């Protein structure tokens, strides 16, 4: 892709995201523009990797850009270009036909790709599918609060999911379901590429499915939470999913998640105030 095209695309994505944040749900668009947007993007051909090892398993064959095979750190511009290209590819993905035909949006990821901290969730729900942005529903609002109390905001970290499309629920008007093992395996190369581009200093895995997506079947979130794991040499802190905290309002469960976040702040050498240290302690 040319850098002009990239700059334009990034500016358009930012503009649309900022409109969405202010509550805009629909925009007028000329039929010609829509047709142009639907055309394939002019870009350089990237090498195909037929199969890759992931935690001892072979991940489904996926086209990956050259950056994925390079161990060299990427410049800020290379990161932007690689992420834009990856986003474009994900937006057109048809690998899971039923998810592609039922989704309203591909929910690629949001935030700062130069961040030191990344959050990984499970899959978009109905709100995220409608908005095209991860963690914007009730669980997302709680996550946003946690991120703010940590001293960051959504624009300073990066948030993504194991699955980029909402798991379909045929015959049901509402409700969510856990992604299948096949769906996770199929979609995982996008998340792997996001992690390799961002190279965060820490990842927070939100809930059992995020942990399963990254590490395969493990001891489970109840046992793993609070204990550092490693994914491609990046420290990963498994913690409860915010939706769990919405279902289980006990202060002691909130405190556990908060202790996990304190560990993350320590790992990132972030200053921690007394107020931050003591959240949820009184009633715990
Ligand atoms: N739950 C998730 O795991 N991800 C989202 O984006 C929203 C809810």
């Amino acid at each position: 892709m040319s850098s002009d095209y990239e700059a334009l695309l990034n500016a358009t994505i930012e503009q649309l995201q900022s409109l969405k944040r202010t509550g805009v749900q629909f925009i007028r668009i000329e039929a010609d523009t829509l047709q142009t947007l639907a055309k394939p993007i002019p870009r350089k051909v990237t090498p195909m990797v037929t199969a890759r090892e992931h935690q001892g398993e072979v991940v489904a064959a996926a086209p990956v850009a050259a950056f994925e095979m390079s161990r060299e750190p990427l410049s800020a511009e290379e990161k932007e270009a690689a992420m834009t290209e990856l986003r474009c590819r994900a937006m057109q993905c048809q690998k899971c036909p039923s998810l592609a035909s039922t989704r309203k949006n591909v929910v690629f990821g949001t935030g700062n790709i130069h961040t030191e901290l990344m959050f990984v969730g499970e899959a978009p729900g109905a709100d995220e599918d409608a908005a095209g942005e991860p963690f914007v529903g009730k669980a997302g609002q709680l996550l946003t609060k946690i991120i703010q109390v940590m001293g960051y905001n959504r624009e300073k970290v990066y948030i993504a999911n194991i699955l980029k499309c909402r798991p379909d629920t045929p015959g049901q008007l509402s409700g969510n379901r856990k992604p299948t093992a096949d769906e996770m395996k199929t979609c995982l190369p996008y998340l792997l590429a996001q992690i390799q581009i961002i190279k965060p200093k820490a990842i927070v895995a939100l809930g059992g499915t995020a942990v399963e997506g990254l590490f395969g079947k493990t001891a489970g979130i109840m046992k793993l939470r609070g204990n550092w794991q490693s994914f491609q040499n990046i420290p990963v802190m498994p913690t409860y999913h915010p939706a769990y905290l919405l279902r289980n309002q006990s202060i002691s469960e909130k405190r556990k998640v908060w202790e996990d976040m304190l560990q993350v702040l320590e790992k990132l050498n972030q200053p921690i105030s007394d107020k931050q240290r003591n959240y949820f302690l009184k009633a715990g």
Side-chain angles (χ1 to χ4, degrees), residues 61-84:
V64 292
F67 65 84
E68 280 188 68
M69 287 167 286
S70 143
R71 299 254 158 223
E72 296 295 308
L74 299 178
S75 70
E77 277 151 17
E78 284 168 335
K79 275 185 170 195
E80 300 279 355
M83 195 62 98
T84 303

PDB file of all heavy atoms in Angstrom, residues 61-84:
ATOM      1  N   ALA A  61      -3.068 -22.780   8.301  1.00  0.00           N
ATOM      2  CA  ALA A  61      -2.315 -21.996   7.326  1.00  0.00           C
ATOM      3  C   ALA A  61      -2.924 -20.613   7.206  1.00  0.00           C
ATOM      4  O   ALA A  61      -4.124 -20.456   7.191  1.00  0.00           O
ATOM      5  CB  ALA A  61      -2.368 -22.691   5.980  1.00  0.00           C
ATOM      6  N   ALA A  62      -2.074 -19.605   7.172  1.00  0.00           N
ATOM      7  CA  ALA A  62      -2.595 -18.234   7.097  1.00  0.00           C
ATOM      8  C   ALA A  62      -1.605 -17.360   6.373  1.00  0.00           C
ATOM      9  O   ALA A  62      -0.406 -17.549   6.480  1.00  0.00           O
ATOM     10  CB  ALA A  62      -2.800 -17.694   8.508  1.00  0.00           C
ATOM     11  N   PRO A  63      -2.120 -16.412   5.579  1.00  0.00           N
ATOM     12  CA  PRO A  63      -1.190 -15.476   4.962  1.00  0.00           C
ATOM     13  C   PRO A  63      -0.619 -14.581   6.039  1.00  0.00           C
ATOM     14  O   PRO A  63      -1.374 -14.055   6.841  1.00  0.00           O
ATOM     15  CB  PRO A  63      -2.082 -14.677   4.013  1.00  0.00           C
ATOM     16  CG  PRO A  63      -3.454 -14.831   4.543  1.00  0.00           C
ATOM     17  CD  PRO A  63      -3.509 -16.086   5.334  1.00  0.00           C
ATOM     18  N   VAL A  64       0.669 -14.456   6.104  1.00  0.00           N
ATOM     19  CA  VAL A  64       1.257 -13.553   7.087  1.00  0.00           C
ATOM     20  C   VAL A  64       2.218 -12.612   6.377  1.00  0.00           C
ATOM     21  O   VAL A  64       2.858 -12.986   5.425  1.00  0.00           O
ATOM     22  CB  VAL A  64       2.011 -14.282   8.222  1.00  0.00           C
ATOM     23  CG1 VAL A  64       1.065 -15.045   9.111  1.00  0.00           C
ATOM     24  CG2 VAL A  64       3.076 -15.182   7.673  1.00  0.00           C
ATOM     25  N   ALA A  65       2.280 -11.402   6.868  1.00  0.00           N
ATOM     26  CA  ALA A  65       3.175 -10.426   6.250  1.00  0.00           C
ATOM     27  C   ALA A  65       4.612 -10.714   6.665  1.00  0.00           C
ATOM     28  O   ALA A  65       4.865 -11.416   7.637  1.00  0.00           O
ATOM     29  CB  ALA A  65       2.755  -9.035   6.688  1.00  0.00           C
ATOM     30  N   ALA A  66       5.533 -10.129   5.925  1.00  0.00           N
ATOM     31  CA  ALA A  66       6.948 -10.405   6.165  1.00  0.00           C
ATOM     32  C   ALA A  66       7.358 -10.067   7.599  1.00  0.00           C
ATOM     33  O   ALA A  66       8.224 -10.719   8.179  1.00  0.00           O
ATOM     34  CB  ALA A  66       7.789  -9.601   5.185  1.00  0.00           C
ATOM     35  N   PHE A  67       6.695  -9.062   8.195  1.00  0.00           N
ATOM     36  CA  PHE A  67       7.097  -8.643   9.544  1.00  0.00           C
ATOM     37  C   PHE A  67       6.995  -9.785  10.526  1.00  0.00           C
ATOM     38  O   PHE A  67       7.725  -9.843  11.490  1.00  0.00           O
ATOM     39  CB  PHE A  67       6.233  -7.475  10.022  1.00  0.00           C
ATOM     40  CG  PHE A  67       4.782  -7.825  10.194  1.00  0.00           C
ATOM     41  CD1 PHE A  67       4.350  -8.417  11.360  1.00  0.00           C
ATOM     42  CD2 PHE A  67       3.875  -7.560   9.191  1.00  0.00           C
ATOM     43  CE1 PHE A  67       3.019  -8.752  11.508  1.00  0.00           C
ATOM     44  CE2 PHE A  67       2.550  -7.895   9.336  1.00  0.00           C
ATOM     45  CZ  PHE A  67       2.121  -8.490  10.495  1.00  0.00           C
ATOM     46  N   GLU A  68       6.071 -10.713  10.297  1.00  0.00           N
ATOM     47  CA  GLU A  68       5.855 -11.784  11.269  1.00  0.00           C
ATOM     48  C   GLU A  68       7.047 -12.709  11.337  1.00  0.00           C
ATOM     49  O   GLU A  68       7.259 -13.376  12.335  1.00  0.00           O
ATOM     50  CB  GLU A  68       4.616 -12.582  10.909  1.00  0.00           C
ATOM     51  CG  GLU A  68       3.362 -11.895  11.344  1.00  0.00           C
ATOM     52  CD  GLU A  68       2.178 -12.779  11.157  1.00  0.00           C
ATOM     53  OE1 GLU A  68       2.095 -13.787  11.872  1.00  0.00           O
ATOM     54  OE2 GLU A  68       1.374 -12.480  10.282  1.00  0.00           O
ATOM     55  N   MET A  69       7.781 -12.783  10.235  1.00  0.00           N
ATOM     56  CA  MET A  69       8.907 -13.690  10.249  1.00  0.00           C
ATOM     57  C   MET A  69      10.185 -12.971  10.622  1.00  0.00           C
ATOM     58  O   MET A  69      11.199 -13.581  10.837  1.00  0.00           O
ATOM     59  CB  MET A  69       9.037 -14.345   8.885  1.00  0.00           C
ATOM     60  CG  MET A  69       7.956 -15.372   8.667  1.00  0.00           C
ATOM     61  SD  MET A  69       7.846 -15.880   6.977  1.00  0.00           S
ATOM     62  CE  MET A  69       7.083 -14.473   6.244  1.00  0.00           C
ATOM     63  N   SER A  70      10.104 -11.660  10.687  1.00  0.00           N
ATOM     64  CA  SER A  70      11.301 -10.905  11.013  1.00  0.00           C
ATOM     65  C   SER A  70      11.400 -10.711  12.513  1.00  0.00           C
ATOM     66  O   SER A  70      10.420 -10.461  13.182  1.00  0.00           O
ATOM     67  CB  SER A  70      11.217  -9.552  10.307  1.00  0.00           C
ATOM     68  OG  SER A  70      11.752  -8.557  11.112  1.00  0.00           O
ATOM     69  N   ARG A  71      12.585 -10.868  13.041  1.00  0.00           N
ATOM     70  CA  ARG A  71      12.804 -10.684  14.472  1.00  0.00           C
ATOM     71  C   ARG A  71      13.207  -9.240  14.765  1.00  0.00           C
ATOM     72  O   ARG A  71      13.345  -8.850  15.909  1.00  0.00           O
ATOM     73  CB  ARG A  71      13.893 -11.634  14.982  1.00  0.00           C
ATOM     74  CG  ARG A  71      13.529 -13.070  14.777  1.00  0.00           C
ATOM     75  CD  ARG A  71      13.144 -13.727  16.106  1.00  0.00           C
ATOM     76  NE  ARG A  71      12.329 -14.887  15.823  1.00  0.00           N
ATOM     77  CZ  ARG A  71      11.235 -15.218  16.490  1.00  0.00           C
ATOM     78  NH1 ARG A  71      10.816 -14.489  17.471  1.00  0.00           N
ATOM     79  NH2 ARG A  71      10.557 -16.304  16.188  1.00  0.00           N
ATOM     80  N   GLU A  72      13.452  -8.475  13.715  1.00  0.00           N
ATOM     81  CA  GLU A  72      13.873  -7.079  13.883  1.00  0.00           C
ATOM     82  C   GLU A  72      12.726  -6.257  14.466  1.00  0.00           C
ATOM     83  O   GLU A  72      11.589  -6.404  14.022  1.00  0.00           O
ATOM     84  CB  GLU A  72      14.227  -6.477  12.518  1.00  0.00           C
ATOM     85  CG  GLU A  72      15.406  -7.118  11.833  1.00  0.00           C
ATOM     86  CD  GLU A  72      16.689  -6.906  12.602  1.00  0.00           C
ATOM     87  OE1 GLU A  72      16.992  -5.745  12.927  1.00  0.00           O
ATOM     88  OE2 GLU A  72      17.367  -7.909  12.897  1.00  0.00           O
ATOM     89  N   PRO A  73      13.016  -5.352  15.425  1.00  0.00           N
ATOM     90  CA  PRO A  73      11.939  -4.481  15.886  1.00  0.00           C
ATOM     91  C   PRO A  73      11.480  -3.575  14.748  1.00  0.00           C
ATOM     92  O   PRO A  73      12.289  -3.147  13.923  1.00  0.00           O
ATOM     93  CB  PRO A  73      12.586  -3.660  17.007  1.00  0.00           C
ATOM     94  CG  PRO A  73      13.968  -4.173  17.172  1.00  0.00           C
ATOM     95  CD  PRO A  73      14.298  -5.112  16.052  1.00  0.00           C
ATOM     96  N   LEU A  74      10.182  -3.317  14.684  1.00  0.00           N
ATOM     97  CA  LEU A  74       9.639  -2.473  13.623  1.00  0.00           C
ATOM     98  C   LEU A  74       9.691  -1.013  14.042  1.00  0.00           C
ATOM     99  O   LEU A  74       9.514  -0.701  15.216  1.00  0.00           O
ATOM    100  CB  LEU A  74       8.184  -2.849  13.343  1.00  0.00           C
ATOM    101  CG  LEU A  74       7.905  -4.272  12.867  1.00  0.00           C
ATOM    102  CD1 LEU A  74       6.408  -4.481  12.692  1.00  0.00           C
ATOM    103  CD2 LEU A  74       8.628  -4.547  11.565  1.00  0.00           C
ATOM    104  N   SER A  75       9.914  -0.133  13.080  1.00  0.00           N
ATOM    105  CA  SER A  75       9.818   1.297  13.366  1.00  0.00           C
ATOM    106  C   SER A  75       8.342   1.632  13.568  1.00  0.00           C
ATOM    107  O   SER A  75       7.466   0.849  13.196  1.00  0.00           O
ATOM    108  CB  SER A  75      10.378   2.105  12.197  1.00  0.00           C
ATOM    109  OG  SER A  75       9.502   1.980  11.099  1.00  0.00           O
ATOM    110  N   ALA A  76       8.088   2.840  14.107  1.00  0.00           N
ATOM    111  CA  ALA A  76       6.694   3.248  14.333  1.00  0.00           C
ATOM    112  C   ALA A  76       5.908   3.210  13.020  1.00  0.00           C
ATOM    113  O   ALA A  76       4.772   2.735  12.970  1.00  0.00           O
ATOM    114  CB  ALA A  76       6.664   4.639  14.947  1.00  0.00           C
ATOM    115  N   GLU A  77       6.543   3.684  11.942  1.00  0.00           N
ATOM    116  CA  GLU A  77       5.836   3.708  10.647  1.00  0.00           C
ATOM    117  C   GLU A  77       5.561   2.295  10.130  1.00  0.00           C
ATOM    118  O   GLU A  77       4.489   2.014   9.588  1.00  0.00           O
ATOM    119  CB  GLU A  77       6.663   4.465   9.609  1.00  0.00           C
ATOM    120  CG  GLU A  77       6.457   5.946   9.706  1.00  0.00           C
ATOM    121  CD  GLU A  77       7.673   6.719   9.249  1.00  0.00           C
ATOM    122  OE1 GLU A  77       8.538   6.140   8.568  1.00  0.00           O
ATOM    123  OE2 GLU A  77       7.750   7.912   9.600  1.00  0.00           O
ATOM    124  N   GLU A  78       6.557   1.423  10.307  1.00  0.00           N
ATOM    125  CA  GLU A  78       6.356   0.041   9.844  1.00  0.00           C
ATOM    126  C   GLU A  78       5.226  -0.625  10.627  1.00  0.00           C
ATOM    127  O   GLU A  78       4.446  -1.397  10.081  1.00  0.00           O
ATOM    128  CB  GLU A  78       7.652  -0.763  10.005  1.00  0.00           C
ATOM    129  CG  GLU A  78       8.684  -0.430   8.948  1.00  0.00           C
ATOM    130  CD  GLU A  78      10.059  -1.005   9.265  1.00  0.00           C
ATOM    131  OE1 GLU A  78      10.365  -1.242  10.457  1.00  0.00           O
ATOM    132  OE2 GLU A  78      10.835  -1.195   8.322  1.00  0.00           O
ATOM    133  N   LYS A  79       5.171  -0.303  11.930  1.00  0.00           N
ATOM    134  CA  LYS A  79       4.092  -0.863  12.749  1.00  0.00           C
ATOM    135  C   LYS A  79       2.731  -0.405  12.222  1.00  0.00           C
ATOM    136  O   LYS A  79       1.808  -1.198  12.080  1.00  0.00           O
ATOM    137  CB  LYS A  79       4.211  -0.375  14.200  1.00  0.00           C
ATOM    138  CG  LYS A  79       5.143  -1.178  15.058  1.00  0.00           C
ATOM    139  CD  LYS A  79       5.036  -0.638  16.487  1.00  0.00           C
ATOM    140  CE  LYS A  79       5.733  -1.525  17.461  1.00  0.00           C
ATOM    141  NZ  LYS A  79       5.357  -1.251  18.843  1.00  0.00           N
ATOM    142  N   GLU A  80       2.632   0.908  11.967  1.00  0.00           N
ATOM    143  CA  GLU A  80       1.364   1.470  11.474  1.00  0.00           C
ATOM    144  C   GLU A  80       0.971   0.776  10.169  1.00  0.00           C
ATOM    145  O   GLU A  80      -0.178   0.386   9.985  1.00  0.00           O
ATOM    146  CB  GLU A  80       1.485   2.977  11.180  1.00  0.00           C
ATOM    147  CG  GLU A  80       1.866   3.844  12.364  1.00  0.00           C
ATOM    148  CD  GLU A  80       0.689   4.184  13.264  1.00  0.00           C
ATOM    149  OE1 GLU A  80      -0.435   3.812  12.904  1.00  0.00           O
ATOM    150  OE2 GLU A  80       0.917   4.796  14.315  1.00  0.00           O
ATOM    151  N   ALA A  81       1.954   0.642   9.268  1.00  0.00           N
ATOM    152  CA  ALA A  81       1.661   0.053   7.956  1.00  0.00           C
ATOM    153  C   ALA A  81       1.242  -1.402   8.109  1.00  0.00           C
ATOM    154  O   ALA A  81       0.269  -1.849   7.484  1.00  0.00           O
ATOM    155  CB  ALA A  81       2.886   0.167   7.054  1.00  0.00           C
ATOM    156  N   ALA A  82       1.981  -2.137   8.955  1.00  0.00           N
ATOM    157  CA  ALA A  82       1.680  -3.562   9.135  1.00  0.00           C
ATOM    158  C   ALA A  82       0.293  -3.738   9.748  1.00  0.00           C
ATOM    159  O   ALA A  82      -0.482  -4.602   9.324  1.00  0.00           O
ATOM    160  CB  ALA A  82       2.734  -4.217  10.011  1.00  0.00           C
ATOM    161  N   MET A  83      -0.048  -2.886  10.719  1.00  0.00           N
ATOM    162  CA  MET A  83      -1.349  -3.031  11.377  1.00  0.00           C
ATOM    163  C   MET A  83      -2.478  -2.644  10.421  1.00  0.00           C
ATOM    164  O   MET A  83      -3.531  -3.274  10.408  1.00  0.00           O
ATOM    165  CB  MET A  83      -1.396  -2.191  12.656  1.00  0.00           C
ATOM    166  CG  MET A  83      -2.531  -2.548  13.563  1.00  0.00           C
ATOM    167  SD  MET A  83      -2.453  -4.247  14.181  1.00  0.00           S
ATOM    168  CE  MET A  83      -1.728  -4.014  15.776  1.00  0.00           C
ATOM    169  N   THR A  84      -2.245  -1.612   9.623  1.00  0.00           N
ATOM    170  CA  THR A  84      -3.273  -1.208   8.654  1.00  0.00           C
ATOM    171  C   THR A  84      -3.541  -2.332   7.665  1.00  0.00           C
ATOM    172  O   THR A  84      -4.686  -2.666   7.360  1.00  0.00           O
ATOM    173  CB  THR A  84      -2.832   0.061   7.885  1.00  0.00           C
ATOM    174  OG1 THR A  84      -2.557   1.073   8.841  1.00  0.00           O
ATOM    175  CG2 THR A  84      -3.893   0.541   6.921  1.00  0.00           C
TER     176      THR A  84
END
